[in-house]
Amino acid sequence: MIRFVPRERTPVWLTVAVSIGSGLAALVLTAIPLALTGAPVFTAFVLMAQGAAGDGFALAETLTRATPLIFTGLAAAVAFRAKLWNIGAEGQLYAGALATVALGAGLIEAPPYVLVPLVLIGAAAAGAALLLVPVLFKTRFGADEVVVTLLMNFIVLLFVQMMLEGPMKDEMALGWPQSAPVLDEATLPKLVTGLRLHWGLVLAVVAAVLLHVFISRTVWGFRIRAVGENARAARYAGLPVGKAMALVGVLSGGLAGLAGASEVAGLKGYLTADLSPGFGYAGIVVATLANLSPLGVIPAAIFVAGVFVGADSMSRAIGVSNYLADLVVAFALLSVLVGGLLTRFRIVFVRREPA
Amino acid sequence: MDRRMHPDPRPLVLSLIGITKRFGPLTANDHIDLDVRAGEIVALLGENGAGKTTLMSILFGHYVADEGTVHIADADGELAPLPGGSAEAALAAGIGMVHQHFALAENLTGFENIVLGTRPLWSFGLGGREARAKIERLIAESGLAVDLDVKVARLSVGEQQRVEILKALYRDVRVLILDEPTAVLTPQEADGLFATVRKLSAKGLAVIFISHKLHEVLALCERVVVLRGGAKVADRPTAGGDRAMLAELMVGRAIPTRERPPSMPGAPVLSLTGISVGKPGERDRLEDADLEVRAGEIVGIAGVSGNGQGALAALVAGLAAPRAGQLHICGHPAVAADPRARLAADVGRIPEDRHRDGTIGALSVAENYVLETIGESENQSFGFIRRADIRARAVEAIRAYDVRCPGPGAAIRALSGGNMQKVVLARVLEREPKLVLAHQPTRGLDIGATTDVHRRLIAARGRGAAVLLISEDLDELFALSDRIAVVHAGHLSPAMDAENLDVKTVGLMMAGHSAGEAA
């Protein structure tokens, strides 16, 4: 018989070990269907690793892909900490991207040290405003935020498509539904010339560190944690539950909006309706892999990005479908959830005596 | 020992031999022997964590004992071993249990609840006439009067308990376990329950009565088994015993009698004038209530749970606004439902449910200690938490309130109920509030922790705080209160001097009689 005994505290080494173990377990689990298809398992994994981090170029590509995932992962982590189930990071990302081109594609002319902050603030504000609506619906009327945020994703995406077909369509783009490019003054510079990697990564890492400090060290971070863990007791103790929730909405929506700004102003240069291949949803996976820790979001995002970049490269080399990446990430998620049991409980094996 | 010298002629129905159960390093049951004879009423007495629940869970098949065996008489009266770990086997062998928290389907009638689960799934109906005849016979025999055709949700708590007992009797139990059955009853209802239990035992039913109320044990039971720290420390007839002796057996040391200096009440701190709280249709509401609590006195509110105490507590705690009437704290009107305003008005609040309202389980002891004051300058500067200062003060509070915990950084959910409550007390009382709301402050606590809470409340009174004590435990109310008011169906009686009040009067008032009728 197996018995789960709750742990009084979880040692840090165990949390780290469980995270790494989960990643390895995911690879082992992925090897099973891979072997069943007759593909060379070992080769495939080696190619994936090489594709993700085999050289400077591969690594830069992985980090580029990780940048929006850090932002959306942080958005999910801070919201889920407060038990605000924001499934709308995808929509907030597009709102941020829309604000980026609205402000940065010629509306305002200013030097970079003015225009870049302005664009970032505008994008964060757009994402935050978008999430504040469901948060207010939740605190005022008790509306379920999962449904509202999820449905708003589709509204925003359709709105973006409408704008790209209409008022914001770039006349110079030969009929493609895309926005005018952002000005050079609004662009996030590249980190290394010749690579796609840009300053968005630095912003994302700084955001993670700031969020960590905010959550663990400040009064408002304390209030957010308290409200998330037990809103009833928080209210009883006189903590401002509604304000804390609104603040979480601003932070989470703002971070998702920054993901959009970073993708447009750092990478693509203009907005299209296929800007994000689901970064908003992948952020939920990243946050869960990171156990909702802001600092943990960084490696988790790099892991997920690496798996996708590596799988692309592997699939080009030996023809195994890059859906393998989804499989690895899905298994990693399951492994982390199971691993969570290990961090919260001590597992004791009990010999059951014959009855 | 007595038993062997004067052999009891009644047959054994249940025999536990050497029951041992360990949870990791903790031995919850340590070689416990327990014999119960037909028609016997045995009290199982012990503090929280003494092993009562574990023992009953083993008997009931929820846990498997590490060592030891359970024997139960079969239909011919022969003792046969009961297979462990099977609740079905326990039920089939005739073991029935009425839990503290009832297991009734509220949207079904009493009749349906009693019969539920006794018929094969593929049979039509509930076995109508036969079943009803049997239940009516049981009611006549036991005196457990209850309307069988009313939905359980509409029955009073006492009636629901009767349905629970009938449910067990309907299944032909031979051993009936009652877990803290009087916790939800008025004294008179409890007397009625005792009469029923005596009738049933006279017909040969063996009853195990789990309680921590010593006078009930002495009044009802012929034998008492005391558990302490997982071991059986006494198994003796109740005849010739007294409460002090049982309490000592239970705790393992002498219980200090409480020192309570006479009260010197000062100016009114809390005053309710014509207050109505809660929706008119709700059971837990107040209608046109008047109450005054003065500095330096403890006013107790007695009543069966759900008669308006919740509404009163919510009002004073700042969770509910009055529908009508005036609420004054220290002479200042307090209208809005705002917990922060209460804190600002120097009200300390000990909530009824420390897990749900009093603490945040995932946060540390230190963080819970500063939960109400995190925004104040002693705990923060420029929005940043002063972690070292908070930790130092938490360490000090842990020492002063004798909180047993691994340290200020430990998650509070790892603490026992008593230690958790000490953290709540430290948070509430350290600020020396002018008014203390203590809502069921000792619910679920063992004697040691209870004594500690009582001592703290009397100390608060001693330094001039007004204390509003809402409790369902009459012993506690009489031990602490200077004056007692009774709440029934939303109506609050005037507060009466506790000196000139007896338990019987309060009990009748709890059942809805006016003070004049009750006296």
Side-chain angles (χ1 to χ4, degrees):
Chain A
M1 218 165 51
I2 300 173
R3 190 173 286 287
F4 292 91
V5 183
R7 286 177 188 276
E8 281 186 8
R9 27 173 98 178
T10 308
V12 175
W13 66 263
L14 185 69
T15 318
V16 174
V18 164
S19 301
I20 295 171
S22 301
L24 292 178
L27 293 179
V28 171
L29 287 167
T30 317
I32 297 168
L34 198 57
L36 287 177
T37 64
V41 174
F42 187 72
T43 319
F45 281 138
V46 168
L47 284 172
M48 259 180 84
Q50 282 176 353
D55 53 45
F57 183 79
L59 190 61
E61 196 49 37
T62 294
L63 291 176
T64 309
R65 185 78 77 99
T67 302
L69 289 177
I70 295 176
F71 279 120
T72 55
L74 292 174
V78 66
F80 289 9
R81 269 287 184 92
K83 299 225 163 53
L84 175 73
W85 307 114
N86 174 18
I87 316 294
E90 186 80 358
Q92 292 137 26
L93 180 150
Y94 273 105
L98 204 60
T100 304
V101 288
L103 294 170
L107 180 72
I108 305 164
E109 303 227 3
Y113 56 85
V114 176
L115 197 54
V116 167
L118 198 68
V119 160
L120 293 176
I121 291 168
L130 195 64
L131 183 52
L132 271 181
V133 176
V135 170
L136 289 181
F137 279 16
K138 178 189 167 79
T139 49
R140 287 290 153 83
F141 314 117
D144 184 76
E145 75 274 22
V146 172
V147 176
V148 182
T149 54
L150 182 65
L151 293 181
M152 282 175 76
N153 286 341
F154 301 104
I155 298 174
V156 173
L157 193 58
L158 287 168
F159 182 75
V160 166
Q161 284 172 356
M162 184 192 83
M163 295 304 279
L164 293 181
E165 295 283 0
M168 291 180 85
K169 187 169 182 174
D170 183 8
E171 300 302 331
M172 316 289 286
L174 306 170
W176 291 104
Q178 64 184 49
S179 77
V182 293
L183 304 176
D184 283 349
E185 288 84 359
T187 302
L188 294 172
K190 300 285 180 231
L191 274 175
V192 183
T193 331
L195 293 178
R196 301 199 319 147
L197 195 57
H198 55 90
W199 271 86
L201 177 68
V202 177
L203 283 177
V205 171
V206 169
V209 173
L210 288 180
L211 189 64
H212 168 74
V213 172
F214 178 80
I215 292 278
S216 60
R217 297 295 168 93
T218 69
V219 171
W220 276 103
F222 176 92
R223 288 172 175 154
I224 288 171
R225 281 184 290 138
V227 168
E229 295 293 345
N230 183 349
R232 267 192 78 117
R235 181 167 129 77
Y236 194 96
L239 298 182
V241 176
K243 279 184 196 161
M245 273 310 202
L247 178 61
V248 169
V250 167
L251 287 172
S252 175
L255 285 161
L258 285 177
S262 153
E263 283 299 278
V264 170
L267 192 61
K268 299 283 169 62
Y270 51 84
L271 174 60
T272 57
D274 62 355
L275 176 75
S276 160
F279 288 135
Y281 303 106
I284 297 170
V285 176
V286 168
T288 309
L289 289 177
N291 197 20
L292 305 188
S293 142
L295 292 182
V297 161
I298 301 171
I302 293 172
F303 171 77
V304 171
V307 167
F308 276 97
V309 171
D312 272 344
S313 138
M314 181 268 309
S315 114
R316 279 193 299 275
I318 56 168
V320 173
S321 164
N322 61 359
Y323 282 123
L324 197 62
D326 293 298
L327 215 52
V328 176
V329 171
F331 277 130
L333 195 57
L334 291 175
S335 306
V336 162
L337 293 177
V338 174
L341 278 180
L342 295 173
T343 58
R344 275 180 288 129
F345 298 94
R346 207 189 309 277
I347 292 178
V348 182
F349 292 91
V350 189
R351 207 157 34 84
R352 192 170 178 156
E353 78 275 30
Chain B
M1 300 301 132
D2 276 1
R3 232 169 33 253
R4 279 186 206 144
M5 286 186 285
H6 312 282
D8 195 319
R10 295 174 297 187
L12 275 179
V13 286
L14 178 69
S15 177
L16 307 181
I17 302 159
I19 297 289
T20 299
K21 179 73 190 169
R22 298 184 192 88
F23 296 104
L26 178 85
T27 305
N29 284 164
D30 189 1
H31 296 96
I32 293 178
D33 299 329
L34 174 65
D35 285 347
V36 183
R37 290 173 184 277
E40 202 177 17
I41 309 177
V42 179
L44 189 58
L45 190 65
E47 294 196 276
N48 276 341
K52 293 174 300 192
T53 310
T54 307
L55 190 64
M56 291 302 115
S57 298
I58 289 168
L59 182 52
F60 219 69
H62 293 165
Y63 290 144
V64 180
D66 296 331
E67 288 169 35
T69 50
V70 178
H71 286 83
I72 183 149
D74 60 20
D76 306 322
E78 294 292 318
L79 286 182
L82 179 72
S86 163
E88 282 141 32
L91 283 168
I95 299 173
M97 183 156 180
V98 176
H99 292 269
Q100 208 175 345
H101 300 283
F102 303 145
L104 294 172
E106 297 225 312
N107 56 346
L108 297 183
T109 65
F111 174 72
E112 288 164 338
N113 264 289
I114 292 168
V115 179
L116 197 67
T118 60
R119 303 278 300 170
L121 276 177
W122 51 84
S123 66
F124 284 101
L126 296 164
R129 232 174 310 142
E130 268 172 65
R132 187 168 280 273
K134 180 173 177 184
I135 297 171
E136 275 164 4
R137 182 172 54 76
L138 290 171
I139 291 178
E141 283 174 10
S142 63
L144 290 161
V146 64
D147 188 341
L148 289 173
D149 298 314
V150 172
K151 285 192 178 163
V152 163
R154 300 184 45 186
L155 297 177
S156 74
V157 180
E159 288 169 323
Q160 291 186 9
Q161 188 177 56
R162 282 176 228 157
V163 173
E164 275 281 18
I165 297 174
L166 283 169
K167 208 166 96 181
L169 296 179
Y170 184 78
R171 285 158 178 72
D172 301 316
V173 290
R174 276 169 296 161
V175 180
L176 179 64
I177 306 165
L178 299 172
D179 185 8
E180 300 274 358
T182 60
V184 292
L185 303 181
T186 66
Q188 282 77 14
E189 281 177 316
D191 286 342
L193 172 70
F194 293 168
T196 301
V197 170
R198 285 195 196 96
K199 257 189 206 167
L200 293 171
S201 82
K203 290 186 192 302
L205 182 72
V207 178
I208 300 178
F209 181 81
I210 303 175
S211 180
H212 66 267
K213 293 186 181 167
L214 306 172
H215 60 92
E216 290 179 351
V217 167
L218 289 169
L220 180 67
C221 305
E222 52 188 289
R223 193 152 63 83
V224 55
V225 172
V226 184
L227 300 187
R228 186 170 77 229
K232 186 165 89 170
V233 293
D235 185 345
R236 51 158 296 155
T238 48
D242 62 25
R243 284 161 73 162
M245 182 203 75
L246 289 182
E248 269 191 60
L249 281 172
M250 198 156 93
V251 186
R253 58 185 154 81
I255 304 298
T257 46
R258 288 179 205 101
E259 296 282 321
R260 207 168 76 95
S263 84
M264 313 251 268
V269 174
L270 174 72
S271 96
L272 278 65
T273 324
I275 286 271
S276 298
V277 199
K279 295 198 188 83
E282 280 172 14
R283 228 162 82 81
D284 197 343
R285 67 179 202 285
L286 277 186
E287 290 295 342
D288 196 19
D290 297 309
L291 181 70
E292 198 162 80
V293 186
R294 294 166 294 182
E297 72 168 349
I298 298 181
V299 173
I301 306 292
V304 176
S305 174
N307 270 286
Q309 301 97 320
L312 176 62
L315 174 80
V316 177
L319 296 176
R323 184 153 41 82
Q326 307 273 316
L327 172 68
H328 285 87
I329 295 170
C330 297
H332 301 290
V335 189
D338 182 0
R340 262 164 294 172
R342 295 294 185 275
L343 289 171
D346 262 344
V347 183
R349 303 151 314 139
I350 303 168
E352 173 186 29
D353 188 331
R354 54 189 157 273
H355 297 275
R356 195 186 60 190
D357 296 323
T359 59
I360 295 179
L363 298 189
S364 70
V365 171
E367 286 173 319
N368 274 285
Y369 174 60
V370 297
L371 197 59
E372 291 177 343
T373 52
I374 188 69
E376 289 175 13
S377 59
E378 57 184 10
N379 291 328
Q380 58 120 350
S381 44
F382 305 106
F384 283 85
I385 299 170
R386 297 168 64 161
R387 303 211 306 176
D389 293 355
I390 289 175
R391 194 186 162 85
R393 276 189 293 111
V395 167
E396 179 56 27
I398 286 169
R399 197 191 53 72
Y401 283 78
D402 189 27
V403 182
R404 310 282 166 81
C405 66
I412 199 166
R413 66 168 153 231
L415 272 56
S416 72
N419 285 307
M420 213 180 254
Q421 190 73 332
K422 285 178 187 171
V423 177
V424 173
L425 283 177
R427 176 174 82 209
V428 168
L429 297 178
E430 277 296 88
R431 290 155 58 87
E432 307 212 327
K434 293 199 182 87
L435 172 66
V436 178
L437 165 70
H439 191 190
Q440 302 257 49
T442 59
R443 190 165 84 166
L445 301 188
D446 60 34
I447 288 199
T450 298
T451 322
D452 194 61
V453 172
H454 289 174
R455 197 168 52 79
R456 301 271 175 200
L457 290 177
I458 289 175
R461 162 186 178 270
R463 60 158 181 76
V467 180
L468 178 64
L469 171 68
I470 301 175
S471 178
E472 282 163 29
D473 183 345
L474 286 180
D475 291 342
E476 173 170 87
L477 284 169
F478 274 93
L480 295 184
S481 310
D482 299 304
R483 295 187 296 142
I484 293 177
V486 182
V487 67
H488 175 263
H491 295 282
L492 186 64
S493 80
M496 301 157 287
D497 269 339
E499 295 284 311
N500 313 320
L501 210 53
D502 59 38
V503 175
K504 186 165 160 275
T505 312
V506 173
L508 285 170
M509 290 174 70
M510 282 163 69
H513 300 272
S514 71
E517 288 167 26

